[in-house]
Amino acid sequence: MFCNQCEQTANGTACVDNGVCGKDPDIQSLQETLLFGTKGTAAYANHARRLGKTDEEVNNFIEEALFATLTNVNFDAGSLLEMVLECGRINLRVMEMLDQGHTEKFGTPEPTTVFEGTQSGPGILVTGHDLLDLSELLEQSADTGINVYTHGEMLPAHSYPMLRQHKHLVGHFGGAWQDQKKDFTEFTGPVLATSNCVLEPRDSYKDRLFTSRFTAVPGCPRLKTNDFSELISMAKSCQPLPENKTDESTIGFHHSVILGLAEKIVGAVKNGDIQHFFLIGGCDGRTNDREYFREYANNTPDDSVILTLGCGKFRIRDYDYGTVAGLPRLLDMGQCNDAYGAIQVAVGLANAFDCGVNDLPLTIVLSWLEQKAVAVLLTLLHLGVKGIRIGPAAPAFLTPNVIKILQDNYDLQLTGESAVADLQQVIPA
């Protein structure tokens, strides 16, 4: 491990004291927070750039943020905290560009019922986050007799009109990213991994897993361009999939859809039909402690609305929440980058009620795992959102002192041992 304050780093040797030298671990904590947040922002910016959306201010910040984490550049906690929050501001801009890029290219998402399972015939499964890859695959595989399915965070693709117009985009297969070894083994056709959240494959499907551009795993074919002919050819030769419907779900509650219902929602709140809003989403993972989020969602009161996004929705979506005020209680807003939409909904409701976001009957409960989740959290902090609860454990790169700063300034809370107990702090039994 290398340290920003250890002279041995200059000689290319490892830090003598595990990266902190006993001097100031809080500086390292802030630098790592900035680095991880910037990585997440860069990932979203890459998706936006592929859709033609760029901003020189974003590019400049990414350069400066990475520069600030170099050896012997910044040992000042105050200025590093400023950059951490600036990362949140920049990430908000990036998510706005990505939202614009998606809607301009694929249309505004609409509530849509999605078939889950498989239909009879050859198929291709697409996982990851990149809707442009999916779009180009759909165009190239048209009229081939091959069905295309989404996996994981690609589920929201079905709500976009320009993607849904391809009749061979027939459904969704499998669960969240951590289920892919089981899912990809069961799926007999080739699989395309378009971005992060890909695992090193089992031998059972290693020859059928394709990755695109910078996404790569050992021993699997990597497509450096968006020529999917090799993938399509393999689909024709693989064992056809059986007819097997496992479920169906309703997705596509884009922020424009929800804000279009703002008058109805505000009326339901004023009438007492809706008492509270919960945003429960983020990253999913394989550890059992993430059952916290399922328990939390399943115990929310019947007069509340749950907004969800990211792969964290797979932890809570297999439950019948019913309806409230004529709306589904669980509203799926999309991918993790659609956190921008959740922010727009919060701001829109605050404007409708003539209050601040922190005055809304809104509780945010986020599961985190990787750098994109860090970037989204920094965006919420930049906006001054308070009382966010994150888990299932504190990020290891946050020292107790840095956590205290965030708790003192933003009332940031960690998930407790009992989801029900945490929920009762918000909605007393």
Side-chain angles (χ1 to χ4, degrees):
M1 186 173 187
F2 293 96
C3 174
N4 284 342
Q5 303 186 54
C6 180
E7 294 179 0
Q8 293 197 32
T9 300
N11 299 323
T13 57
C15 173
V16 295
D17 194 15
N18 198 32
V20 295
C21 299
K23 294 181 180 179
D24 196 341
D26 298 332
I27 295 296
Q28 183 176 350
S29 175
L30 288 168
Q31 287 178 325
E32 290 182 353
T33 303
L34 177 60
L35 179 61
F36 296 149
T38 301
K39 285 182 177 182
T41 297
Y44 289 140
N46 177 262
H47 288 302
R49 180 183 59 76
R50 298 196 67 233
L51 293 164
K53 298 295 182 180
T54 60
D55 187 325
E56 192 61 24
E57 183 184 24
V58 172
N59 301 334
N60 290 342
F61 173 80
I62 290 174
E63 291 178 4
E64 292 171 359
L66 292 176
F67 197 169
T69 63
L70 289 181
T71 305
N72 300 331
V73 172
N74 190 325
F75 305 139
D76 178 65
S79 62
L80 283 172
L81 183 58
E82 287 178 6
M83 291 197 73
V84 164
L85 296 176
E86 179 68 359
C87 181
R89 184 183 75 84
I90 293 296
N91 188 63
L92 178 63
R93 171 59 182 146
V94 171
M95 290 193 297
E96 179 185 29
M97 291 193 302
L98 186 53
D99 180 75
Q100 292 172 346
H102 280 155
T103 55
E104 289 175 12
K105 178 73 174 177
F106 307 120
T108 302
E110 302 166 342
T112 304
T113 299
V114 181
F115 171 94
E116 298 194 34
T118 58
Q119 296 189 17
S120 179
I124 295 173
L125 186 62
V126 184
T127 192
H129 304 79
D130 199 305
L131 298 184
L132 186 58
D133 274 349
L134 175 63
S135 175
E136 295 186 358
L137 172 63
L138 288 168
E139 292 174 2
Q140 293 177 36
S141 59
D143 301 320
T144 62
I146 298 171
N147 292 324
V148 177
Y149 303 83
T150 57
H151 178 271
E153 282 256 64
M154 296 299 289
L155 170 63
H158 296 271
S159 65
Y160 287 89
M162 300 305 291
L163 295 175
R164 198 170 61 250
Q165 72 177 0
H166 294 278
K167 300 306 180 185
H168 61 302
L169 178 62
V170 297
H172 184 81
F173 179 86
W177 67 270
Q178 72 271 10
D179 298 327
Q180 62 187 246
K181 291 191 176 184
K182 171 182 174 293
D183 293 342
F184 296 175
T185 296
E186 294 177 356
F187 192 89
T188 56
V191 179
L192 175 64
T194 66
S195 66
N196 61 316
C197 299
V198 60
L199 299 173
E200 290 198 33
R202 291 176 176 171
D203 291 341
S204 57
Y205 62 87
K206 192 172 186 177
D207 62 331
R208 295 185 285 109
L209 178 63
F210 291 73
T211 61
S212 61
R213 294 178 310 284
F214 50 80
T215 307
V217 290
C220 295
R222 181 165 70 95
L223 304 177
K224 298 180 182 180
T225 69
N226 274 33
D227 178 359
F228 295 115
S229 56
E230 183 180 356
L231 186 72
I232 294 168
S233 177
M234 178 178 284
K236 294 177 180 178
S237 64
C238 285
Q239 177 183 347
L241 292 153
E243 186 75 25
N244 181 31
K245 181 177 180 179
T246 59
D247 203 354
E248 65 179 25
S249 56
T250 301
I251 63 167
F253 291 94
H254 188 255
H255 62 84
S256 61
V257 175
I258 298 177
L259 290 178
L261 299 170
E263 184 176 345
K264 179 178 181 180
I265 293 172
V266 170
V269 172
K270 291 182 176 179
N271 293 337
D273 296 329
I274 297 177
Q275 293 287 336
H276 206 84
F277 297 89
F278 294 90
L279 173 58
I280 306 175
C283 301
D284 202 4
R286 62 170 60 114
T287 56
N288 291 334
D289 52 2
R290 292 179 182 272
E291 283 297 293
Y292 171 97
F293 300 96
R294 189 194 309 277
E295 183 183 8
Y296 197 105
N298 291 357
N299 284 279
T300 53
D302 293 340
D303 56 4
S304 65
V305 172
I306 303 172
L307 307 175
T308 190
L309 45 78
C311 60
K313 64 172 162 279
F314 287 96
R315 187 65 58 166
I316 68 173
R317 68 194 289 264
D318 55 347
Y319 184 84
D320 183 4
Y321 295 92
T323 61
V324 60
L327 296 170
R329 282 194 55 225
L330 182 68
L331 302 178
D332 184 349
M333 298 192 66
Q335 296 179 323
C336 57
N337 47 273
D338 290 311
Y340 173 77
I343 291 168
Q344 294 303 105
V345 168
V347 171
L349 290 176
N351 290 338
F353 285 108
D354 194 23
C355 67
V357 170
N358 291 317
D359 299 316
L360 289 171
L362 169 67
T363 299
I364 301 176
V365 185
L366 297 180
S367 52
W368 82 278
L369 182 70
E370 48 96 90
Q371 295 92 327
K372 287 181 177 177
V374 176
V376 171
L377 175 63
L378 298 186
T379 293
L380 294 172
L381 297 181
H382 154 73
L383 292 170
V385 178
K386 296 184 177 182
I388 300 168
R389 192 178 290 274
I390 65 169
F397 52 85
L398 294 183
T399 61
N401 285 338
V402 172
I403 290 177
K404 187 175 187 307
I405 290 172
L406 298 179
Q407 289 175 330
D408 290 346
N409 288 277
Y410 302 100
D411 190 27
L412 184 69
Q413 303 175 39
L414 302 178
T415 54
E417 294 184 4
S418 167
V420 173
D422 288 349
L423 179 60
Q424 287 176 349
Q425 293 181 22
V426 179
I427 309 291

